[in-house]
Structures are given as C-alpha cells and as structure tokens.
C-alpha cells in the first residue's frame, strides 16, 4: 500500500480517539464564571457515546479501496474492481471511524432543589455516582457537567478568625 494512503488511514483511525474528559477542563474556561446548581442523583444509567463522523474515514476508505481494487485484474476489470473497492472501502472506513470513537458514558437524572429534574450525559470520569448522592451541576454556556457536592462549610470556618484582619472596625 502506498505510504500516503497508509498515513491517511492511520489519521482516520486516530481521529475518533479524541474525547472530552469531565476531569479535564478546556483552556477557554479559565477565569470564566459558571452557574452552579445543587441537586440529588435520582437515576444513573450507563450509555455509549457514538463515535465522531467527520467523513474522513469514509473518504480515506474509498480512496484506499479504489486504489487497491484498481490494481486487481486486467485493464477492463480494474475499473469494476476499483469501483467496488471504493464503495466497500468507504463503508468500512465509515464503520471504523464511528466505532473507534465510541466510549462509555453516564446519563444522570438529577432532581434540583426546586423540584425540577434534569438529565445530563457525560463521559465517566474519576467520580462514581450513586442514587441519593448530592451533586453540583456546573453550567457554562451550553455545556454542563456534574460533580460531587462539596461538604457544607462549618460556620466557624466561614467567619474570620479573631486576630485576622477583616476590614475596618467600628
């Protein structure tokens, strides 16, 4: 197989491997305020996220299949085999791209404090969620993620220490 085609096949296979990890934040979220809502997990279900479908897998598969099919048979047969190879390569390349990007995720149903229920699907990170877990939904723009709720801050920690500078005194 020619080297450029092999390189394209490798690139198509690896394209679907990129994913968004809930434990890793994109750089553009730094120094941005997000809304936090408290809730309780009322349902957890494992789901599978579909792989990306950029069309690159089908394109590379079609080219590779067409080249491979074109090298089979005589002059008249090579056109037929090239066409069949291109079609089969495209179907196979699409399936590989789609399958390579699939990953396990969770669908979390959360009851908010106001009684409203929301559903969020996110990739499984380091945190494990169970029914009844207190959680926070962190929303920024159109994206949201779920994380365990922080324990309440004791009142003694929330007030400044007696010797600490806390601003002007009357």
């Amino acid at each position: 197989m020619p080297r450029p085609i092999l390189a394209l096949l490798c690139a198509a296979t690896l394209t679907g491997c990129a994913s968004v990890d809930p434990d890793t934040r994109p750089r553009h979220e730094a120094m941005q305020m997000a809304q936090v809502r408290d809730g309780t997990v009322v349902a957890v279900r494992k789901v599978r996220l579909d792989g990306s479908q950029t069309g690159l897998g089908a394109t590379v598969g079609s080219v590779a299949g067409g080249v491979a099919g074109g090298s089979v048979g005589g002059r008249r047969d090579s056109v037929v085999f090239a066409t069949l190879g291109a079609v089969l390569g495209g179907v196979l390349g699409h399936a590989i791209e789609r399958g390579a990007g699939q990953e396990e995720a969770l669908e979390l149903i959360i009851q908010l404090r106001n009684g409203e229920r929301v559903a969020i699907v996110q990739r499984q990170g380091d945190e494990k969620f169970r029914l009844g877990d207190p959680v926070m939904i962190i929303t920024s723009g159109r994206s949201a993620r779920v994380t365990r709720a922080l324990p309440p801050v004791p009142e003694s920690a929330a007030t400044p220490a007696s010797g600490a500078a806390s601003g002007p005194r009357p």
Side-chain angles (χ1 to χ4, degrees), residues 76-103:
R76 292 181 81 186
D77 295 337
S78 67
V79 173
V80 173
F81 286 117
T83 303
L84 287 173
V87 170
L88 291 174
V91 170
L92 184 61
H94 174 75
I96 289 171
E97 178 183 22
R98 186 173 180 198
Q102 286 187 351
E103 57 188 310

Side-chain angles (χ1 to χ4, degrees), residues 14-37:
L14 294 175
T15 298
C17 294
S19 65
V20 178
D21 185 341
D23 298 323
T24 304
R25 307 305 330 137
R27 184 172 295 278
H28 73 271
E29 284 190 10
M31 299 185 68
Q32 297 293 317
M33 186 166 27
Q35 181 181 12
V36 178
R37 298 170 76 184

Side-chain angles (χ1 to χ4, degrees), residues 36-100:
V36 178
R37 298 170 76 184
D38 294 313
T40 303
V41 175
V42 295
V44 179
R45 182 171 74 107
K46 288 185 179 183
V47 295
R48 181 173 291 278
L49 295 177
D50 204 5
S52 65
Q53 297 175 18
T54 62
L56 184 62
T59 302
V60 171
S62 293
V63 170
V67 169
S71 64
V72 175
R75 202 163 108 197
R76 292 181 81 186
D77 295 337
S78 67
V79 173
V80 173
F81 286 117
T83 303
L84 287 173
V87 170
L88 291 174
V91 170
L92 184 61
H94 174 75
I96 289 171
E97 178 183 22
R98 186 173 180 198

